[in-house]
Amino acid sequence: MSIEVQSTEAGFAKFNSTVFNFSSLVLEIDNTPSVEAGSLTAIIPVTLTSLGVLRDALSPFFSLTGCVSRVLVLCPESLLSQSRAAVRQVMRSARENPNHPDVSLHPWGVGSDPTVAILEAAAHASTKWLLLLDDAGLSGLTNRTREMLLCPVAANQPIGPRGIVAGPGSGSCAPPSLEMRPALYLLPPFTLPSSLIRKGCEDWSDLGRAISQAQNSQIGGVIRGYGDPDTNGCNGICARDPSSPMDQLALSTPILEARLSTARAHGRFIFLLSNMGDLHLVLPVLCRLHETGHLVKILLYTSSHPASVSSSCRLHYDTLAYESNVYSGIRDWLDRLEGDHTDVIFTVSEPATHGVTSNHATMIRIPREDLEHVHWMGSLSLTEWKNWNIPRIDVSIITRDRPDSLARLMASLSQGRFFGDAVSLRLNMEQSSDLETVRIVGAYKWRHGAVFTHRRVIHGGLLPAVVESWYPHSNDSYGLLLEDDVELSPLFYAWIKMGILRYRYGQNRNETRQLFGISLYQQKNIELHPEGRKAFDPRKLFASNNFADPSTPYLSQIPCSWGAVYFPEHWREFHDYLAGRLSEATVDIGQVVVPNVRSNNWTKSWKKYFIEMVYLRGYVMLYPNYAEFTSLSTNHLEVGSHVKERPKEKREVFRLPLMPLGESQQLLDLPGGRLPDWGVLPVLNLTGGLTSLERIIEVGKGV
């Protein structure tokens, strides 16, 4: 959608043209009597966040003498029973007051939000005056301000203590003051005549714009307070609405409030972003969190330029006041949320946010250059988000005398996106490594973590070079093993992290003990058929067997050596298995363990023995299954221990297209846009045939 952006100064000047007449409006308001008793309806929403304090939010309507005759409590259908119980408790305690207002409870539909629900209810109200509140009710206000709202003057303007006023380049949320101020629009709580409500308004800025147009005044409300120390976090905070007249920025869907959610919410998220550009980049994640019911709070902590944003969700964000120190402003903003439990704080990793910490929430710090590639994070469950910082992925490179191949691998590794994670790198050189290889290793700069360099003094060969290249420090350590003829997609780490979080730290992690690793490489051939290599297409296999979505990733018993991460328990187990196998402590070294597979002829391959262990224990590896064999790694079939010649046609059999950085959203080309649940992943045996986890365990136990 094309967005026309006009100058903010023009909007500001237009607004100021009304100031000349505002003094007469102030005099009119000061001389206007209060509304009649019983002529005011209060409308208050209930959210998952406010449910626990609903009784406190309703108490002012019973404890203070006012003009309210009716209170409409709005709630999502999922909170109806809990809200009804809270309302009943309030009503029981108010029986001694015969003049208490009538209280009724009304659910709003799935997919709606409280702001829309409030405006719809207001359009059908039967009283002449309205008091519109958010889920905080009248909390944080002085008694005098409460009295002003509970029995307001009969002015033909919205009046309240908090609103958006014009400012140089943006709108700022004006804190309460003793002097009245014109506002572009008000934020709850505020009062207004019910005649000013316009159908079709979806947010407070819509309402303010409709009122100003109807009155031809460019004023959407009047801010008035009585020295309140804080009005729902207004002090020092900008609440910019990009569709307000000052920015003259029309969005395809305005950004409104997402913290007002339903009981589908599983967690509370805070996003600390620098500007509108950051917000635009992270919007797919924010929208998905909102759509799945999470509570989202957003702070833009530096001034931003207008930008076009197209989204299918409605979110609210705050920005800091211009005079605020950025760090202290962020800290103050977070402190105001201290009473609410927060699960995850997502920040841009830069000096302004380095000092932000939390004793309870999971801190996730993403470099700015990675923000445009975080789409996949929207698919994570709350449990996976909260475990973000637990797994540690170590990269281990195995090389000998192929300096050009090594340089290509290391260049692709440097292009990888690591999303702020610390990643250790181990460079393993064979004793026979040439001087150019040694030079490349010594000159390589790695900026994501520690680097360890190792060179053998006695030639060991490929089997010990791979097996001894990494050993897990803990059960949260994962080893990415890379031989130097591999090249990586810049998105390889996202695929690994997404898989580890889902199947190792997700809600069903106790069911995934048979998973020994995650492959970056797509299988285009199955090499273990006794008669030789055969072409393989998992999508065709799944389609011919009537799978609902043939694009699903899958589990295979075949270990990958062309870019794969191995899990700690299984790698330790492999060390133990290999030591026993090579020592012939239990069986002769020449004995066939796995029947009818080609790997029995691989006398110097570590994979031969890993395949044996997988077969005996019933283990599996996760494989990607993207369209056109798009892969997170590829193999260049270089001449080496197992390859003596590499004709072009043979190289093309193994070479796969790498997923480009500019198409990071392709990571979510998955069933339902997320990695499938463990129990629905297809399972393939060593020769690419469909089987089941139960079957491969049974086969292994029968050996």
Side-chain angles (χ1 to χ4, degrees):
M1 179 177 179
S2 177
I3 305 298
E4 181 179 355
V5 181
Q6 301 176 4
S7 70
T8 60
E9 290 77 14
F12 182 51
K14 185 177 182 181
F15 182 83
N16 274 344
S17 68
T18 68
V19 175
F20 176 80
N21 296 321
F22 185 69
S23 59
S24 61
L25 179 59
V26 170
L27 289 174
E28 179 183 335
I29 292 174
D30 281 338
N31 292 295
T32 301
S34 298
V35 302
E36 298 177 357
S39 62
L40 184 65
T41 294
I43 304 176
I44 182 170
V46 181
T47 66
L48 188 63
T49 304
S50 69
L51 180 61
V53 294
L54 178 57
R55 292 179 61 187
D56 295 335
L58 293 176
S59 63
F61 303 111
F62 298 89
S63 60
L64 295 177
T65 301
C67 301
V68 179
S69 63
R70 189 179 183 191
V71 179
L72 300 182
V73 180
L74 310 178
C75 70
E77 292 181 357
S78 54
L79 294 183
L80 185 58
S81 61
Q82 300 99 310
S83 300
R84 182 181 291 115
V87 169
R88 284 175 178 171
Q89 288 179 339
V90 173
M91 294 302 293
R92 280 197 295 267
S93 63
R95 285 176 180 172
E96 297 179 359
N97 179 7
N99 297 319
H100 69 73
D102 293 329
V103 180
S104 57
L105 184 64
H106 301 268
W108 72 68
V110 176
S112 184
D113 64 48
T115 305
V116 174
I118 292 170
L119 291 169
E120 288 179 352
H124 295 90
S126 58
T127 57
K128 190 176 179 180
W129 304 92
L130 299 172
L131 168 56
L132 307 184
L133 305 107
D134 61 14
D135 60 348
L138 299 175
S139 64
L141 300 176
T142 64
N143 286 338
R144 193 174 178 190
T145 300
R146 290 188 181 194
E147 292 171 359
M148 176 193 77
L149 293 167
L150 290 170
C151 206
V153 296
N156 194 35
Q157 289 287 342
I159 299 177
R162 178 171 172 248
I164 302 300
V165 298
S170 86
S172 59
C173 178
S177 66
L178 296 177
E179 295 182 358
M180 282 185 268
R181 301 177 62 184
L184 297 171
Y185 59 92
L186 296 186
L187 301 172
F190 62 89
T191 60
L192 77 164
S194 56
S195 60
L196 293 183
I197 294 293
R198 296 293 184 267
K199 291 184 178 180
C201 292
E202 295 186 341
D203 57 74
W204 307 122
S205 64
D206 277 356
L207 179 61
R209 190 161 42 245
I211 292 172
S212 66
Q213 290 173 355
Q215 298 183 339
N216 195 28
S217 66
Q218 294 300 318
I219 291 179
V222 176
I223 298 173
R224 185 180 194 180
Y226 293 95
D228 304 85
D230 182 59
T231 310
N232 297 336
C234 190
N235 286 341
I237 297 295
C238 270
R240 174 192 287 169
D241 176 46
S243 61
S244 67
M246 343 150 317
D247 277 343
Q248 296 293 313
L249 176 61
L251 303 186
S252 62
T253 304
I255 294 181
L256 292 176
E257 190 160 347
R259 69 181 175 87
L260 306 170
S261 182
T262 70
R264 293 182 296 114
H266 299 292
R268 182 182 178 87
F269 289 76
I270 289 176
F271 281 76
L272 302 177
L273 306 171
S274 178
N275 50 44
M276 278 294 293
D278 291 351
L279 179 60
H280 177 80
L281 295 175
V282 181
L283 200 58
V285 177
L286 297 170
C287 286
R288 187 151 186 183
L289 289 173
H290 180 42
E291 290 164 2
T292 51
H294 296 292
L295 304 175
V296 180
K297 300 284 283 186
I298 305 165
L299 174 67
L300 306 188
Y301 52 80
T302 67
S303 59
S304 60
H305 298 288
S308 60
V309 178
S310 177
S311 70
S312 60
C313 65
R314 304 172 62 79
L315 300 169
H316 168 83
Y317 62 88
D318 295 327
T319 65
L320 296 181
Y322 289 107
E323 65 273 11
S324 296
N325 173 275
V326 172
Y327 174 72
S328 61
I330 293 174
R331 190 69 267 170
D332 290 345
W333 185 82
L334 290 172
D335 287 343
R336 274 189 287 273
L337 304 178
E338 190 173 12
D340 299 314
H341 174 73
T342 298
D343 295 291
V344 177
I345 299 177
F346 178 111
T347 76
V348 180
S349 182
E350 59 184 6
T353 62
H354 284 173
V356 177
T357 60
S358 174
N359 294 327
H360 308 289
T362 297
M363 294 291 307
I364 299 177
R365 304 178 189 274
I366 303 295
R368 172 162 283 105
E369 62 267 22
D370 291 347
L371 287 181
E372 63 182 301
H373 310 296
V374 298
H375 301 70
W376 61 276
M377 293 176 67
S379 71
L380 301 178
S381 70
L382 176 61
T383 302
E384 293 156 22
W385 277 96
K386 292 174 71 173
N387 287 315
W388 174 272
N389 295 316
I390 296 178
R392 287 290 181 264
I393 300 168
D394 304 322
V395 178
S396 185
I397 293 176
I398 301 100
T399 189
R400 188 179 74 172
D401 56 0
R402 298 187 292 208
D404 292 341
S405 300
L406 176 63
R408 179 182 56 213
L409 167 61
M410 296 172 85
S412 69
L413 183 64
S414 295
Q415 294 300 313
R417 301 294 174 159
F418 296 92
F419 305 95
D421 283 1
V423 178
S424 297
L425 175 64
R426 180 182 172 105
L427 299 161
N428 301 277
M429 293 179 286
E430 181 59 271
Q431 179 270 337
S432 54
S433 294
D434 58 22
L435 292 178
E436 181 61 11
T437 295
V438 175
R439 187 197 66 79
I440 291 174
V441 168
Y444 186 62
K445 303 299 182 184
W446 179 246
R447 60 186 182 92
H448 300 285
V451 179
F452 179 79
T453 303
H454 176 260
R455 185 179 183 184
R456 299 183 67 94
V457 295
I458 299 177
H459 184 80
L462 189 57
L463 187 152
V466 173
V467 177
E468 297 175 7
S469 67
W470 172 75
Y471 195 80
H473 174 69
S474 72
N475 284 344
D476 296 312
S477 300
Y478 300 84
L480 174 59
L481 309 185
L482 302 170
E483 296 182 39
D484 57 16
D485 57 351
V486 169
E487 185 179 2
L488 301 170
S489 158
L491 297 167
F492 79 90
Y493 189 85
W495 164 254
I496 291 173
K497 183 112 182 191
M498 183 168 61
I500 287 177
L501 288 174
R502 172 59 46 87
Y503 300 119
R504 292 281 292 187
Y505 297 91
Q507 293 177 329
N508 299 322
R509 55 190 167 191
N510 292 330
E511 302 173 7
T512 64
R513 294 188 178 116
Q514 289 167 259
L515 186 66
F516 69 79
I518 298 174
S519 174
L520 303 178
Y521 186 83
Q522 289 225 50
Q523 292 188 105
K524 195 175 181 180
N525 300 276
I526 301 295
E527 294 193 288
L528 296 182
H529 292 281
E531 59 273 23
R533 183 184 307 113
K534 290 187 178 181
F536 174 70
D537 188 334
R539 293 196 170 204
K540 289 183 178 179
L541 174 67
F542 300 151
S544 64
N545 284 273
N546 301 314
F547 278 75
D549 193 335
S551 69
T552 177
Y554 61 92
L555 304 173
S556 170
Q557 287 193 280
I558 302 174
C560 176
S561 60
W562 296 333
V565 63
Y566 286 83
F567 294 174
E569 302 96 327
H570 306 85
W571 197 252
R572 287 194 208 96
E573 186 179 358
F574 178 50
H575 269 243
D576 294 339
Y577 176 83
L578 189 59
R581 186 78 168 90
L582 296 180
S583 68
E584 301 184 277
T586 54
V587 296
D588 182 78
I589 191 66
Q591 180 173 332
V592 173
V593 175
V594 186
N596 302 317
V597 291
R598 188 163 166 245
S599 58
N600 290 326
N601 301 320
W602 299 348
T603 57
K604 297 181 180 181
S605 172
W606 66 273
K607 282 177 64 176
K608 168 185 176 177
Y609 301 105
F610 204 101
I611 289 168
E612 291 180 358
M613 186 185 79
V614 163
Y615 178 77
L616 294 172
R617 311 289 163 79
Y619 292 154
V620 288
M621 172 170 265
L622 179 72
Y623 276 82
N625 184 18
Y626 292 106
E628 307 298 329
F629 292 97
T630 301
S631 187
L632 286 310
S633 70
T634 191
N635 176 267
H636 288 276
L637 202 71
E638 305 286 5
V639 173
S641 299
H642 301 309
V643 178
K644 304 305 178 185
E645 56 182 1
R646 51 191 301 267
K648 181 178 179 181
E649 59 274 13
K650 190 175 182 180
R651 296 199 305 270
E652 293 305 316
V653 168
F654 294 98
R655 186 175 299 170
L656 300 177
L658 293 172
M659 187 177 293
L661 185 62
E663 297 181 17
S664 55
Q665 66 274 12
Q666 188 177 356
L667 282 166
L668 293 182
D669 286 348
L670 302 165
R674 64 191 292 270
L675 285 172
D677 292 336
W678 175 254
V680 301
L681 288 167
V683 182
L684 306 184
N685 61 23
L686 288 169
T687 54
L690 283 168
T691 183
S692 67
L693 291 173
E694 294 75 17
R695 177 57 182 163
I696 62 176
I697 293 174
E698 179 183 341
V699 170
K701 288 181 178 179
V703 177

